[in-house]
Amino acid sequence: MTDFDAHMHTLKLRVTNPRKTIFEALSDASEPLSIGDIQKHCRDIDRVTLYRTLEMFTKNNIVKIIHIGWKKQYELTDLFQPHHHHFRCTTCQDISHVSDSEVEEAIDTISIRHGFTVTSHQFELEGTCRYCLTGNTNRELLNK
Ligand SMILES: [Zn+2]
Ligand SMILES: [Zn+2]
Ligand SMILES: [Zn+2]
């Protein structure tokens, strides 16, 4: 994984406290965050700085915008965390990671078949999670 400070240095961008704090909030998260979620982790940072930083991060391949449902959410790019996709449950809004190699192999196979060179891809899968499907809200029990 790429080091944040080193990446910023390569881009000739300064590592300021707000930038570092926002990066860390995204880095600590196990799922994509909305602006509101990020703000909760960065209470000392004003909204304008937050928006500007996220815009700068997006331009510089640090953060990617994920459109989950109608909401815009933010997540670190593949430079800073392992490549994956998301399952989003439309009932409980739970987001889980999908990192099955079959998905990536299928994309390779399809792109070769069409003579297309894929440099990046993004997709999210929506539906019903197994907890909502069974009506069992006790995740602990089901996981046993
Ligand atoms: Zn993710
Ligand atoms: Zn669910
Ligand atoms: Zn993929």
Side-chain angles (χ1 to χ4, degrees):
M1 293 292 110
T2 310
D3 178 70
F4 177 64
D5 292 28
H7 187 69
M8 293 289 278
H9 186 77
T10 309
L11 296 168
K12 300 195 164 43
L13 292 166
R14 278 198 317 133
V15 179
T16 59
N17 271 334
R19 286 172 180 180
K20 187 100 188 158
T21 309
I22 294 167
F23 179 84
E24 277 165 5
L26 287 158
S27 175
D28 290 343
S30 54
E31 54 185 49
L33 299 179
S34 66
I35 289 261
D37 297 330
I38 302 169
Q39 184 80 81
K40 269 181 228 153
H41 292 280
C42 312
R43 292 193 190 276
D44 300 338
I45 301 168
D46 64 87
R47 279 236 152 186
V48 178
T49 308
L50 182 59
Y51 276 102
R52 279 198 193 137
T53 305
L54 285 172
E55 204 184 305
M56 185 273 278
F57 278 180
T58 310
K59 263 190 214 146
N60 290 290
N61 199 28
I62 295 165
V63 162
K64 62 181 169 189
I65 298 171
I66 295 178
H67 298 272
I68 295 179
W70 51 270
K71 276 202 264 171
K72 240 193 204 180
Q73 294 187 299
Y74 298 84
E75 185 174 71
L76 295 179
T77 60
D78 295 349
L79 280 179
F80 301 96
Q81 65 169 334
H83 177 79
H84 62 274
H85 300 278
H86 305 102
F87 274 136
R88 182 180 78 101
C89 175
T90 50
T91 307
C92 67
Q93 308 303 319
D94 185 65
I95 293 165
S96 52
H97 282 189
V98 184
S99 51
D100 296 44
S101 60
E102 289 97 324
V103 174
E104 307 309 321
E105 283 159 20
I107 290 166
D108 283 348
T109 309
I110 295 162
S111 50
I112 290 166
R113 191 183 299 149
H114 292 268
F116 191 86
T117 307
V118 175
T119 48
S120 79
H121 63 267
Q122 195 187 327
F123 59 80
E124 321 307 327
L125 304 154
E126 282 189 345
T128 313
C129 76
R130 60 190 175 119
Y131 307 104
C132 292
L133 204 62
T134 56
N136 191 335
T137 49
N138 196 332
R139 287 167 193 241
E140 317 274 285
L141 270 177
L142 256 179
N143 280 332
K144 267 180 196 162

